[in-house]
Amino acid sequence: MASLLTIKQRISSTKKTSQITSAMKMVSASKLGKAERNARNYEPYANKIRNIVAHLASNNSASDPMLENRPVHKVGYIVLTADSGLAGAYSSNVIKTAVKLIKERHNNNADEYEIITLGNMGYNFFKNNGYNVALQITGISDHPSFNEIQAIANDTIQLFVSGKIDELHMVYNHHVNPITNEQRVVQLLPVVSVEATATDALSAYEFEPSEEAVLRAILPQYIESLIFGSILDAKAAEHAARMTAMSSATDNAQEVIGDLTLQYNRARQAAITQEITEIVGGAAALE
């Protein structure tokens, strides 16, 4: 059995760990609240631009290269993970989804796909395992602004426009609630099956100089809105996952402290009993 001093030191160190994880849980909970508000506040804009694109794309007279399907020689995957760990299975679930998709569609043939990683966890995995990483982006803030994401969106859109890739997909975690998230794969380019999210009297809109010109101008903004909205959603899922992970870690630490305290009390009782036995034995020997 471990000594009383050793057990006491383990209790002390576990209590300190519990304090750290508890503080991290509260920080993540605070960030989660703001991330959820950011995602909700962005929805009206995302819905409005989706409705307009749905209307324009459904018009046969309007066309754009971003709407046209072309022979698929190479596919781009934007994989959104965290920059750091301590978020449970948040990053690993996204990575597993992306790996499964690549194996099913390309049989790991590096000539058929390119990966754009957003986050260190994804980059480290794909780079260390020999996957074709075309672009690495890290350091996205906990509450990103549209200007911060716009440059990222432009870089990925240019890969499609320049013909380096023929399809562009995004793999990320969708925030359902504080204890649940789900993995999503969204096709960004070419733009297909755009549906309005609410009834809008778009027939009353007048487009100048023409619907086709407006469509060409608005499509890049639409793709940017999809990427930005997905990142806001994923950030909320990340904070929720980290909060849940730190909550579980705190609960586990408290359980360990309870077990160690019980072990400490038993060891202390055994030591006292041993001392009493020795005293009684010594007294009996003096009689």
Side-chain angles (χ1 to χ4, degrees), residues 76-145:
Y77 297 97
I78 303 175
V79 183
L80 179 53
T81 62
D83 277 328
S84 59
L86 300 179
Y90 171 81
S91 294
S92 61
N93 285 339
V94 175
I95 291 171
K96 287 178 183 177
T97 301
V99 168
K100 181 180 178 182
L101 188 62
I102 291 171
K103 286 182 177 180
E104 289 177 350
R105 294 195 62 183
H106 313 290
N107 196 26
N108 285 341
N109 185 350
D111 294 331
E112 295 183 359
Y113 70 90
E114 286 187 351
I115 298 175
I116 299 99
T117 60
L118 304 187
N120 268 325
M121 301 296 287
Y123 173 74
N124 290 336
F125 172 85
F126 289 114
K127 198 66 177 177
N128 293 337
N129 287 274
Y131 287 85
N132 186 15
V133 179
L135 184 62
Q136 174 204 8
I137 300 167
T138 59
I140 298 176
S141 61
D142 290 327
H143 308 293
S145 65

Side-chain angles (χ1 to χ4, degrees), residues 72 74-77 105 160 165-169 187 189-190:
V72 179
K74 181 168 287 190
V75 181
Y77 297 97
R105 294 195 62 183
F160 178 84
I165 58 175
D166 303 301
E167 281 186 4
L168 180 62
H169 300 262
Q187 179 171 325
L189 290 167

Side-chain angles (χ1 to χ4, degrees), residues 65-68 70 155-168 189-191:
M66 289 188 179
L67 296 169
E68 298 174 359
R70 61 196 188 203
D155 290 341
T156 54
I157 291 173
Q158 284 304 313
L159 291 175
F160 178 84
V161 173
S162 65
K164 292 183 178 179
I165 58 175
D166 303 301
E167 281 186 4
L168 180 62
L189 290 167
V191 178

Side-chain angles (χ1 to χ4, degrees), residues 19 21-31 243 246:
Q19 291 172 351
T21 55
S22 179
M24 293 177 68
K25 171 189 172 182
M26 290 188 289
V27 170
S28 295
S30 176
K31 290 182 178 180
M243 182 187 71
M246 292 301 98

